[in-house]
Amino acid sequence: MPTPATILKETFGYDTFRPLQHEVIENVLAGKDTLAVMPTGGGKSLCYQIPALILPGPTVVVSPLIALMKDQVEQMRASGVAAVFLNSSLSPEAYAENMQAVRARQVKLLYLAPETLLTPRIFNLLDALQVSLLTIDEAHCISEWGHDFRPEYRQLVEVRRRYPQAVCLALTATATPRVRQDIARSLGFSQANEFVASFNRENLYIEVVPKREAQRQVLRFLERFKDQSGIIYCFSRKQVDELAAALAHHGLAVRPYHAGLGDDERRRNQEAFIRDDVQIIVATIAFGMGINKPNVRFVIHYDLPKSVEGYYQEIGRAGRDGLPAHCLLLYSYGDASKLQFFIDQKKGEERRVAMAHLDAIVRYAEDERHCRRKPLLAYFGETFSAEKCGSCDNCNAEPPALEDITLPAQKFLSCVWRTGQRFGMGHVIDVLRGSKNEKVLQNQHDLLSTYAIGKDLSEKQWQGLARQLLQQGYLAQSGEFRVLTLTEKALTALKKRAAIYGQLQEAEERPRNEKARQTELEYNNALFAILRQKRKDLADEAGVPPYVIFSDKTLVEMAAYYPQSPRSLLIISGIGQAKAAQYGEIFLSILRPYCEKHGLKEISRPRTVSSSTSSAGRKAKDEGNLSERTLLVAEAYNTGESVATLMKRYNVSVATILDHLTRYAVAGKRLRNGVDLQALTSTSPNEQQAVFAAFDEFGTDFLKPVFDKMGGKVNYDELRLLRLMALAEKD
Ligand code: ADP
Ligand code: ZN
């Protein structure tokens, strides 16, 4: 009898379960109806695919996303699992053929659209079989509170009554408690069998950058993601067309996607993206629902999203394969005003809700101090308790330099007070800047003591200041007209003349801390490119998306561990027996000569023990928190190998090797202080002594204070190297 863990490795090629997968699978196998809530990319599919291979009868999967079924079936077949789908997209012949396969009990997994399932024809078919598992994918569609209610989903209860022996598994990525309750209640589940995974997606690097010359910023960003897949979201169709054209003009492989295009063109563009024919899709938010592409390496928001929820859903489309992915939001307050304009056309409750959403996303975008994950996860009712996540801009940058803004802040707060806490930001600024507009005169605000006391700052600067006061909790904003009022904190500050800190200049784009990107594994880029091309050729031949053949993760591991035999291939993540049999030799015939030519040896991949609980899996990763490659590099270095040798072996830059060594040393491990480090620096002995003294004074966590102390004379590359020497010298 195969166990979930053996199927995970042998069929799917994975070593460990993602959080809650194992628990959900065991619960289903125990015959208990189960609700599993996991974020996009959390790995919901395996939760029914593995039981399907263990249970005696077929598994029925209900999904509203017809476009995805074909994809899922292709992926299953590539892993050697007998799967078919039935929906309106099939030709009559293909439909009949699939029906026949199910009738002949040759099928383990049957994907159906709800409207297909609810037909006499399918009931007849299923009546003759003993359905073991009824899976309801996108289960939030059953709830009127969800964002995607589908009346057919309500009727699924009939299916349950008809097949009482089948255990039911409901899956969704919608976490709101109300929707969850609704699903469980509609399907008659007990609360004990609910599994809610964390919505924190650790592999997403989250960044917000002030929007300046947006197009240039995007082009610069894309330089770092050459040949990688990504989505750029824009607010309007026009913007999509313009940006797509501009990027194409710069030689990038890009297609637009929005509701204004014909069905055919939309479908073709989506297909080109999924098949890696083009790397970039520029889209309105209409794009993404029906796609399953796991190797989306970046998501850019060119314009401000309408809500935090929508934003999180959109960035969630990046990095489903678990490899690092980058999420960039270009923010300008002007974009918020644009959205405000649209909101102003709405009325009543709708308007109130839209405004609350806008306020929340603006607050999120303008926060430069707190970990990005805190507000995002708070939205899903989850507390992110760590102080820093390590993979967002705010956790990695030095906080912005602060200046004393007490005086202008006092002016602003007093003006809010003097005008009776009845006005919005615009009016308060008008009063401060001495405007003679009608509203000011009518209210006789030109007679106030705070009238015209703020001419020294521009309107923009005052807006920036007011937003900081909101952010820091001195002001509250409420109601349809966004009236500003003073908080307790403001009253105290005014009374005690407490100092207030902030920035008067507009925010600058902060220097990027490249170290922040958590590349789990360094790999040979040249080899990866060759493997990827092979994958693309095979996929085109078979008429499937490349990820059906192998995921990026699988290719990355091949290009990192250099497997030379079928046995070593089976240890690579994502290679189960079926894929090894089908593609193993083809890839080995690339790997072997390449490695021979470049003098590369197979590196044994640490076999991660398949953990029965997710917490054990997490613990293994936390152990020292160092990646396998960091350990390999640092240990090789400690046994006397030179930096130059290591650069050659892994085909990476000196900075990358130094980065590994630094991580190793920072984790408190002993590092040899070899002569080659000394040879790499071009600083004088005197400068070195001064830098070491500065590290003693300020610690080694941040370079900026040391940089400043040295008067900017020693550049950051040098400082990184000297920091490593300082760390290596210890004990
Ligand atoms: P969801 O439906 O929750 O968005 P999927 O089921 O599509 O997520 O899984 C996302 C990706 O993660 C897929 O490419 C899948 O093969 C991969 N995956 C799922 N479970 C694991 C696991 N335990 N180990 C490694 N990869 C996994
Ligand atoms: Zn963070």
Side-chain angles (χ1 to χ4, degrees):
M1 181 82 169
T3 65
T6 55
I7 294 179
L8 181 72
K9 184 67 200 164
E10 286 169 13
T11 303
F12 297 96
Y14 300 138
D15 300 308
T16 47
F17 286 106
R18 295 237 177 107
L20 294 185
Q21 278 180 330
H22 198 233
E23 289 82 343
V24 170
I25 291 168
E26 289 294 352
N27 209 55
V28 168
L29 290 176
K32 295 180 196 157
D33 294 333
T34 310
L35 168 60
V37 184
M38 294 181 181
T40 310
K44 288 185 280 298
S45 317
L46 278 188
C47 294
Y48 61 82
Q49 287 162 348
I50 288 180
L53 291 173
I54 296 178
L55 295 166
T59 289
V60 169
V61 185
V62 185
S63 164
L65 303 168
I66 291 185
L68 280 188
M69 284 182 197
K70 186 159 160 273
D71 202 81
Q72 274 161 333
V73 164
E74 276 164 355
Q75 291 194 48
M76 281 300 91
R77 289 193 179 162
S79 296
V81 178
V84 300
F85 67 95
L86 289 170
N87 66 33
S88 52
S89 76
L90 284 172
S91 69
E93 297 79 46
Y95 199 101
E97 202 179 299
N98 286 352
M99 289 278 284
Q100 183 48 36
V102 178
R103 203 172 294 123
R105 297 171 199 269
Q106 289 162 351
V107 168
K108 280 270 133 201
L109 266 168
L110 170 61
Y111 290 85
L112 292 166
E115 61 276 11
T116 316
L117 172 57
L118 297 162
T119 55
R121 198 171 169 197
I122 298 294
F123 281 145
N124 276 336
L125 174 73
L126 296 181
D127 286 350
L129 308 164
Q130 281 277 319
V131 175
S132 283
L133 170 59
L134 173 66
T135 299
I136 304 181
D137 206 1
E138 313 289 338
H140 55 273
C141 294
I142 210 167
S143 166
E144 282 169 283
W145 298 110
H147 49 82
D148 200 14
F149 175 55
R150 314 240 173 166
E152 316 86 83
Y153 260 67
R154 283 280 183 205
Q155 297 169 40
L156 291 173
V157 181
E158 283 171 36
V159 183
R160 295 216 57 204
R161 282 202 208 103
R162 197 171 177 115
Y163 306 115
Q165 84 287 349
V167 58
C168 185
L169 169 64
L171 299 166
T172 179
T174 304
T176 65
R178 191 169 206 174
V179 173
R180 234 185 282 160
Q181 271 169 19
D182 222 16
I183 298 170
R185 215 197 40 230
S186 321
L187 293 169
F189 288 5
S190 82
Q191 223 189 359
N193 297 308
E194 261 183 54
F195 295 85
V196 183
S198 165
F199 271 59
N200 184 17
R201 300 270 314 278
E202 288 174 11
N203 60 322
L204 301 186
Y205 188 89
I206 305 173
E207 182 178 34
V208 182
V209 158
K211 184 167 167 179
R212 296 239 175 277
E213 304 155 288
Q215 234 176 64
R216 266 253 291 280
Q217 287 174 300
V218 167
L219 282 167
R220 234 184 305 137
F221 178 89
L222 294 178
E223 267 168 33
R224 298 194 294 142
F225 287 83
K226 264 205 173 63
D227 300 326
Q228 310 211 27
S229 290
I231 308 173
I232 306 178
Y233 285 110
C234 296
F235 180 65
S236 67
R237 298 175 189 180
K238 184 163 157 271
Q239 185 69 263
V240 166
D241 289 332
E242 280 174 15
L243 182 62
L247 297 182
H249 180 73
H250 280 86
L252 292 158
V254 52
R255 296 277 171 84
Y257 187 101
H258 56 67
L261 302 174
D263 278 356
D264 213 39
E265 185 175 3
R266 265 216 322 259
R267 204 183 37 76
R268 255 186 293 130
N269 290 354
Q270 173 169 320
E271 193 76 5
F273 179 63
I274 286 173
R275 302 226 158 160
D276 289 347
D277 291 329
V278 301
Q279 269 57 61
I280 304 163
I281 278 279
V282 184
T284 51
I285 48 166
F287 184 78
M289 264 298 277
I291 74 157
N292 216 351
K293 190 175 166 61
N295 60 334
V296 174
R297 294 270 70 87
F298 61 87
V299 167
I300 301 178
H301 281 86
Y302 196 77
D303 297 305
L304 187 65
K306 292 194 196 78
S307 70
V308 172
E309 256 167 313
Y311 167 70
Y312 200 67
Q313 202 172 28
E314 283 146 27
I315 66 173
R317 293 177 186 141
R320 282 185 184 212
D321 52 14
L323 291 176
H326 201 114
C327 310
L328 174 72
L329 165 62
L330 294 176
Y331 171 73
S332 84
Y333 191 69
D335 282 349
S337 313
K338 251 191 271 171
L339 288 176
Q340 180 67 49
F341 174 80
F342 286 98
I343 292 173
D344 286 341
Q345 328 281 313
K346 300 181 197 243
K347 286 208 180 62
E349 176 70 2
E350 201 192 351
R351 183 185 145 101
R352 209 186 49 73
V353 171
M355 210 132 94
H357 279 313
L358 179 60
D359 284 343
I361 190 82
V362 166
R363 222 177 308 127
Y364 166 80
E366 293 190 345
D367 188 341
E368 293 198 323
R369 304 197 161 264
H370 304 100
C371 175
R372 299 274 178 211
R373 284 183 156 72
K374 280 184 204 287
L376 290 177
L377 292 171
Y379 233 83
F380 298 97
E382 202 177 318
T383 327
F384 185 73
S385 47
E387 189 54 42
K388 283 175 177 254
C389 75
S391 50
C392 77
D393 51 356
N394 286 354
C395 284
N396 280 290
E398 318 260 316
L402 295 184
E403 40 187 321
D404 187 334
I405 55 165
T406 312
L407 194 65
Q410 280 175 348
K411 286 183 184 173
F412 194 94
L413 296 174
S414 329
C415 193
V416 170
W417 177 255
R418 298 269 170 221
T419 50
Q421 309 190 73
R422 292 187 293 117
F423 295 89
M425 190 186 292
H427 182 74
V428 175
I429 294 174
D430 283 345
V431 175
L432 282 168
R433 294 190 26 87
S435 161
K436 291 196 169 53
N437 74 23
E438 212 183 303
K439 197 166 163 191
V440 172
L441 301 179
Q442 243 171 27
N443 287 290
Q444 301 196 329
H445 285 165
D446 53 334
L447 307 179
L448 295 178
S449 60
T450 53
Y451 182 72
I453 59 169
K455 286 185 165 166
D456 51 332
L457 296 186
S458 71
E459 188 180 346
K460 257 212 155 113
Q461 283 176 308
W462 279 119
Q463 285 171 352
L465 180 102
R467 294 204 302 276
Q468 291 172 60
L469 294 174
L470 276 163
Q471 187 86 46
Q472 295 185 31
Y474 290 100
L475 287 171
Q477 193 174 35
S478 63
E480 196 179 350
F481 299 102
R482 301 186 169 215
V483 166
L484 294 176
T485 48
L486 302 183
T487 61
E488 238 359 269
K489 185 172 173 184
L491 296 171
T492 317
L494 283 174
K495 215 178 305 157
K496 294 196 170 153
R497 296 174 194 283
I500 298 177
Y501 291 92
Q503 287 167 293
L504 280 184
Q505 298 315 316
E506 280 188 66
E508 289 294 328
E509 189 164 340
R510 285 177 287 180
R512 218 172 241 124
N513 190 344
E514 281 297 338
K515 191 184 126 225
R517 286 204 69 214
Q518 291 186 333
T519 334
E520 294 263 306
L521 198 56
E522 288 299 336
Y523 56 92
N524 185 317
N525 290 306
L527 176 57
F528 178 79
I530 298 172
L531 297 171
R532 187 173 53 186
Q533 186 55 49
K534 186 73 207 169
R535 174 179 70 176
K536 173 72 176 136
D537 294 344
L538 290 169
D540 286 349
E541 242 167 70
V544 296
Y547 56 78
V548 167
I549 308 235
F550 281 135
S551 70
D552 278 16
K553 173 104 192 258
T554 303
L555 299 190
V556 161
E557 288 204 357
M558 284 187 199
Y561 297 118
Y562 313 127
Q564 302 290 309
S565 67
R567 240 168 85 151
S568 321
L569 267 188
L570 276 170
I571 301 173
I572 299 290
S573 171
I575 308 189
Q577 282 164 351
K579 289 193 180 181
Q582 194 165 1
Y583 304 114
E585 270 312 316
I586 301 176
F587 281 83
L588 283 174
S589 73
I590 294 175
L591 287 159
R592 286 192 191 117
Y594 184 93
C595 293
E596 192 172 348
K597 182 168 166 212
H598 295 86
L600 301 163
K601 288 221 168 55
E602 176 170 323
I603 298 169
S604 75
R605 177 185 185 273
R607 232 186 244 263
T608 333
V609 186
S610 186
S611 63
S612 57
T613 69
S614 50
S615 63
R618 229 171 290 140
K619 187 163 158 272
K621 197 180 153 233
D622 281 346
E623 215 113 71
N625 226 340
L626 295 173
S627 77
E628 288 155 18
R629 179 54 59 97
T630 294
L631 291 170
L632 284 172
V633 167
E635 277 157 21
Y637 175 81
N638 271 347
T639 62
E641 291 196 39
S642 72
V643 171
T645 316
L646 293 167
M647 281 166 63
K648 185 154 161 277
R649 173 171 321 153
Y650 297 112
N651 191 17
V652 292
S653 66
V654 61
T656 305
I657 297 294
L658 295 182
D659 185 39
H660 283 301
L661 299 182
T662 305
R663 283 176 200 225
Y664 189 81
V666 165
K669 301 199 174 261
R670 204 201 61 80
L671 195 74
R672 164 176 84 86
N673 195 359
V675 279
D676 37 337
L677 293 186
Q678 187 66 50
L680 285 168
T681 173
S682 52
T683 49
S684 70
N686 277 344
E687 274 173 330
Q688 287 175 30
Q689 284 321 309
V691 170
F692 290 147
F695 276 127
D696 280 341
E697 184 180 349
F698 300 110
T700 48
D701 286 352
F702 296 104
L703 295 177
K704 176 123 187 354
V706 179
F707 180 81
D708 290 345
K709 177 98 184 185
M710 299 301 295
K713 282 198 300 270
V714 182
N715 69 33
Y716 279 100
D717 283 341
E718 283 288 354
L719 287 179
R720 269 189 275 275
L721 177 62
L722 293 170
R723 170 169 65 184
L724 181 57
M725 288 165 66
L727 287 166
E729 255 181 358
K730 277 186 198 149
D731 73 35

